């Protein structure tokens, strides 16, 4: 009988079968994804901030692959308004408590650090860090308002009633609780590396002297983690 049952119903032992919509969405995202060689070659041309933003438009999942967790549960929003300004990219992800990750980008047409010999970050790098700090300060000064705002943004993306330029991950709606606190994270990606050891120290300093921490990457260091 067991033999006959297996012949008639060979897949009954499989406890979980993915929904076809998840598989389809995953394949569509993968088809549009940027290859490591593609972005590495592009960064070698020393593109400006505007040129990088234009290049990344075709694959909003690029940043989610680094900063979303769980990997297929995310929403990526380009140029999300915060107070009187915009954050280049915001990633909503997580379980139970929602993670809100700000990503501020600058061009790859300058060095992450000055070449003066004093080990200082370049002006454009510091500018990006300051922009993120200002956005975070605005949020924490009115935390309840912005916690509600980010969940409203999430719900509009999930229901298709707003933010049509956003990308939602293969698994669709996030498994987060709108009544719980949110985790604010931030990343700055700017310039090119030319002294990995010294720049690693500077990135470490930025992360540990910023509250909440700001993760600093050059375009080189980011691509090396691809």
């Amino acid at each position: 009988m067991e033999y006959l049952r297996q012949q008639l119903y060979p897949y009954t032992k499989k406890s979980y079968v993915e929904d076809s919509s998840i598989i389809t969405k995953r394949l569509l995202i993968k088809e549009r994804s940027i290859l490591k060689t593609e972005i590495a070659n592009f960064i070698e041309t020393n593109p400006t901030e505007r040129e990088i933003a234009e290049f990344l438009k075709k694959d909003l999942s690029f940043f989610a692959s680094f900063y979303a967790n769980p990997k297929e549960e995310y929403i990526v929003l380009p140029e999300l308004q915060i107070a009187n300004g915009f954050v280049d990219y915001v990633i909503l992800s997580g379980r139970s408590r929602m993670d809100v990750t700000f990503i501020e980008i600058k061009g790859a047409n300058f060095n992450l650090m000055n070449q003066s010999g004093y080990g200082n970050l370049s002006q454009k790098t510091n500018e990006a860090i300051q922009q993120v700090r200002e956005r975070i300060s605005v949020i924490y000064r009115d935390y309840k308002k912005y916690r509600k705002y980010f969940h409203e943004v999430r719900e509009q993306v999930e229901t298709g009633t707003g933010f049509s330029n956003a990308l939602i991950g293969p698994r669709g709606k996030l498994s987060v609780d709108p009544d719980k606190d949110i985790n604010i994270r931030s990343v700055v990606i700017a310039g090119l590396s030319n002294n990995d050891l010294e720049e690693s120290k500077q990135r470490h300093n930025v992360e540990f002297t910023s509250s909440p921490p700001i993760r600093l990457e050059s375009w080189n260091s980011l691509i090396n983690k691809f």
Side-chain angles (χ1 to χ4, degrees):
M1 289 294 293
E2 179 66 18
Y3 174 79
L4 290 174
R5 187 180 68 81
Q6 284 296 314
Q7 294 301 309
L8 292 170
Y9 309 107
Y11 302 110
T12 53
K13 283 190 175 181
K14 189 169 183 179
S15 59
Y16 173 69
V17 178
E18 280 191 314
D19 188 281
S20 61
S21 64
I22 295 175
I23 297 171
T24 301
K25 187 67 179 289
R26 181 186 296 133
L27 291 172
L28 284 172
I29 291 173
K30 188 173 182 180
E31 283 177 7
R32 299 167 184 166
S33 63
I34 296 170
L35 300 176
K36 180 176 181 177
T37 52
E38 192 178 358
I39 190 166
N41 291 338
F42 175 68
I43 292 300
E44 285 183 359
T45 67
N46 305 119
T48 64
E49 178 181 342
R50 185 186 296 272
E51 289 169 338
I52 291 175
E54 190 65 30
F55 178 82
L56 293 174
K57 274 184 180 179
K58 64 179 179 179
D59 180 20
L60 290 180
S61 73
F62 176 78
F63 290 123
S65 64
F66 293 101
Y67 304 115
N69 187 34
K71 288 298 184 184
E72 293 193 328
E73 298 176 29
Y74 59 80
I75 293 170
V76 183
L77 299 118
E79 298 186 330
L80 183 67
Q81 184 168 5
I82 305 292
N84 295 324
F86 293 86
V87 177
D88 289 335
Y89 301 90
V90 173
I91 299 176
L92 308 180
S93 63
R95 292 265 181 90
S96 189
R97 290 178 61 172
M98 186 165 70
D99 296 332
V100 180
T101 304
F102 297 164
I103 300 176
E104 192 73 31
I105 69 169
K106 292 295 179 185
N109 56 338
F110 61 92
N111 291 319
L112 182 75
M113 293 175 58
N114 289 326
Q115 301 304 295
S116 61
Y118 293 102
N120 295 323
L121 296 172
S122 69
Q123 180 181 344
K124 290 185 178 180
T125 304
N126 278 318
E127 179 184 311
I129 292 170
Q130 186 57 33
Q131 286 174 338
V132 168
R133 282 177 176 155
E134 288 173 0
R135 302 286 181 266
I136 293 173
S137 295
V138 166
I139 289 168
Y140 277 103
R141 282 198 295 267
D142 204 347
Y143 175 78
K144 289 184 178 179
K145 169 187 170 182
Y146 279 99
R147 182 180 65 80
K148 182 180 178 183
Y149 169 67
F150 289 124
H151 276 292
E152 287 174 347
V153 170
R154 171 186 60 77
E155 289 172 359
Q156 287 183 51
V157 175
E158 290 174 342
T159 58
T161 57
F163 300 95
S164 58
N165 61 341
L167 172 69
I168 188 166
R171 297 194 173 274
K173 293 184 178 181
L174 305 184
S175 298
V176 294
D177 188 338
D179 295 321
K180 291 186 177 180
D181 284 336
I182 59 176
N183 302 312
I184 305 292
R185 311 182 192 283
S186 55
V187 181
V188 169
I189 307 167
L192 295 174
S193 298
N194 57 15
N195 185 334
D196 184 65
L197 180 60
E198 186 61 31
E199 289 162 0
S200 178
K201 295 176 184 177
Q202 287 294 333
R203 293 199 298 269
H204 181 85
N205 287 341
V206 169
E207 290 175 19
F208 280 86
T209 58
S210 301
S211 181
I214 297 174
R215 185 168 183 173
L216 177 62
E217 299 275 10
S218 68
W219 286 103
N220 312 65
S221 67
L222 185 72
I223 291 170
N224 287 338
K225 295 171 183 173
F226 204 106

